[in-house]
Amino acid sequence: MANSTEAPPTSFTLSNGARMPAVGYGTFQSAAGNDHVEDFVSTALRVGYRHIDTALAYGNEKEVGRMIKKSAIPREELFVTTKLAQPWHRPEDVEEAMDESLKALGLEYVPHAYLPGPNHETVRHSSGNGKPVVDYAASKGYPATWAAMEKLVSIGKARAIGLSNFNILKTKKILEVARIKPAVNQVELHPYMPQHALLAFSARNGIHLTAHQPLGGTPVGVVALNNHIPGPLHDQTVKNIAKRLDKSPAQILLSWALQRGTSVVPKSARESRMKENLEVVRLSDEDFEALNGLKSDGNSIRYMDPRKHVGFDIFREDADEPVDDHAPWDEQWYRDLSQANGPGREQLFRGQKVPLCTPLNDTYINGI
């Protein structure tokens, strides 16, 4: 933590020497969908954002790209992050996925990309339960996906590469084989999910952490395991500090995040909130430590948790999930299918020639 008299950081230097603006604009899951994302991105760029966070899976790269071009802001001033969608994790698909993102964004390269069906859409479970069919081989073979990501840097399509939603165990496995060390890991971070151990581990290994959902928030419903629990925006300690400093609770949470050395990508559809999110403050050591101690790693609250959606816990530190090659709901389905279709059932599920999905561990592609 820096001295409490210093101004909050406006950017962070990554391991490859690139500078990432400390506060970015997140484009995922706008309440209004993607219909107005062009307006939102245009406003964000106009009020001063120079770090835009998007992803192929968000379905808005074209809109983001159009607004970047229309803004006429020099490319070297912009830091654009995109992510490799889950159905593109097979090593042979990585460069094609990047080409799709670059084409949609209208860029020659992106500053940063993350590793997270016939047209690579997610395949849903044949039982009709709405769950994604997981590609277990690709999910377990993420070091090979990382090697394919490294090639993107070598051929100039990405300036830096990183991770998203990787815990310590999985990050260690990447570091064991990496030719290019991850520059960034974008994970859920806020005072209710501080991830102190991951932050310390990342700092020791030169990996910058970016906070998605830095305000807590509510992720997509299928992975919102704890959305019934009020987030840190409603915490009384946060409110008390905000009132005393004449700031909003959101500004206090973003200030805390920057002060501990992590960048943030909050989202908002309102111009006033966009401006507010850029107006961070330096917290006193006392206030900083009060927020730091709201939750420990042992009693933290994770708002984005896909375990009930994919069938295993991608954040386990004692086992590299997935361990099995099937989801809990497969067993009853297999029994039902066996009774109905006999030995040919394999053709309907494990033998299907379709792109499957990997969980929410992504890779992250970053340009300048």
Side-chain angles (χ1 to χ4, degrees):
M1 183 185 70
N3 187 285
S4 61
T5 62
E6 296 177 5
T10 57
S11 65
F12 294 99
T13 302
L14 305 182
S15 59
N16 71 335
R19 294 194 66 82
M20 170 189 278
V23 181
Y25 180 69
T27 64
F28 176 57
Q29 196 196 337
S30 161
N34 285 330
D35 291 343
H36 301 285
V37 71
E38 289 190 4
D39 294 334
F40 300 155
V41 172
S42 177
T43 300
L45 291 171
R46 177 169 51 79
V47 302
Y49 286 84
R50 293 297 181 266
H51 175 186
I52 304 297
D53 184 78
T54 183
L56 189 154
Y58 298 176
N60 60 26
E61 287 180 321
K62 288 183 178 179
E63 291 83 355
V64 170
R66 278 197 291 267
M67 290 303 98
I68 288 174
K69 183 176 182 180
K70 188 174 180 179
S71 74
I73 296 171
R75 179 66 186 90
E76 61 272 15
E77 294 182 15
L78 292 172
F79 192 97
V80 182
T81 294
T82 191
K83 305 172 191 73
L84 185 66
Q86 286 87 356
W88 296 79
H89 280 207
R90 293 175 180 173
E92 63 270 22
D93 295 333
V94 170
E95 185 175 354
E96 181 185 353
M98 174 55 94
D99 289 341
E100 290 289 324
S101 289
L102 293 175
K103 180 180 178 181
L105 287 164
L107 302 175
E108 294 180 356
Y109 66 89
V110 295
H112 213 120
Y114 292 109
L115 178 66
N119 53 358
H120 289 273
E121 294 179 352
T122 298
V123 176
R124 300 296 171 183
H125 199 275
S126 300
S127 66
N129 65 6
K131 309 289 188 183
V133 177
V134 172
D135 187 334
Y136 290 96
S139 297
K140 296 177 182 182
Y142 55 89
T145 308
W146 182 257
M149 295 284 291
E150 291 176 322
K151 293 179 182 178
L152 298 178
V153 178
S154 300
I155 61 179
K157 292 184 178 180
R159 293 290 181 88
I161 51 176
L163 310 167
S164 181
N165 297 319
F166 268 57
N167 61 2
I168 294 175
L169 175 64
K170 290 182 182 293
T171 305
K172 282 182 177 179
K173 291 202 170 186
I174 292 293
L175 292 173
E176 288 172 359
V177 301
R179 177 174 58 86
I180 300 174
K181 188 163 59 175
V184 175
N185 188 7
Q186 189 181 107
V187 296
E188 180 176 350
L189 291 171
H190 45 74
Y192 280 13
M193 188 68 198
Q195 304 218 56
H196 295 303
L198 179 62
L199 181 64
F201 168 83
S202 300
R204 290 195 302 270
N205 287 278
I207 301 172
H208 176 75
L209 293 189
T210 293
H212 69 63
Q213 293 178 205
L215 308 180
T218 303
V220 173
V222 293
V223 298
L225 195 62
N226 290 311
N227 64 348
H228 60 288
I229 302 175
L233 278 172
H234 307 285
D235 186 273
Q236 194 58 52
T237 297
V238 176
K239 289 181 177 180
N240 290 344
I241 296 172
K243 183 176 181 180
R244 177 160 36 81
L245 298 181
D246 194 24
K247 294 291 181 180
S248 70
Q251 287 173 308
I252 298 304
L253 295 176
L254 297 177
S255 298
W256 171 82
L258 268 59
Q259 199 157 327
R260 70 199 301 246
T262 63
S263 54
V264 294
V265 285
K267 60 180 182 288
S268 177
R270 294 168 53 183
E271 180 174 342
S272 60
R273 289 283 174 83
M274 292 182 196
K275 291 179 178 178
E276 181 181 281
N277 289 343
L278 289 172
E279 296 170 356
V280 293
V281 296
R282 172 64 62 177
L283 302 175
S284 69
D285 291 349
E286 182 180 2
D287 288 341
F288 178 83
E289 292 302 334
L291 298 177
N292 236 18
L294 287 180
K295 299 290 181 182
S296 68
D297 284 351
N299 69 347
S300 57
I301 300 172
R302 187 184 296 277
Y303 289 97
M304 192 213 74
D305 191 336
R307 71 181 72 184
K308 291 187 176 181
H309 190 52
V310 298
F312 51 89
D313 183 2
I314 65 172
F315 301 113
R316 280 183 66 181
E317 293 288 1
D318 62 338
D320 192 9
E321 293 279 15
V323 174
D324 298 322
D325 290 325
H326 60 275
W329 44 82
D330 287 339
E331 304 215 358
Q332 180 61 49
W333 183 73
Y334 271 127
R335 287 194 292 270
D336 295 343
L337 195 62
S338 178
Q339 294 171 5
N341 297 288
R345 66 189 181 278
E346 289 292 321
Q347 300 299 317
L348 299 179
F349 183 52
R350 290 190 179 176
Q352 58 184 322
K353 301 299 183 182
V354 292
L356 307 182
C357 179
T358 53
L360 294 177
N361 301 113
D362 300 334
T363 44
Y364 171 103
I365 305 170
N366 193 305
I368 55 174

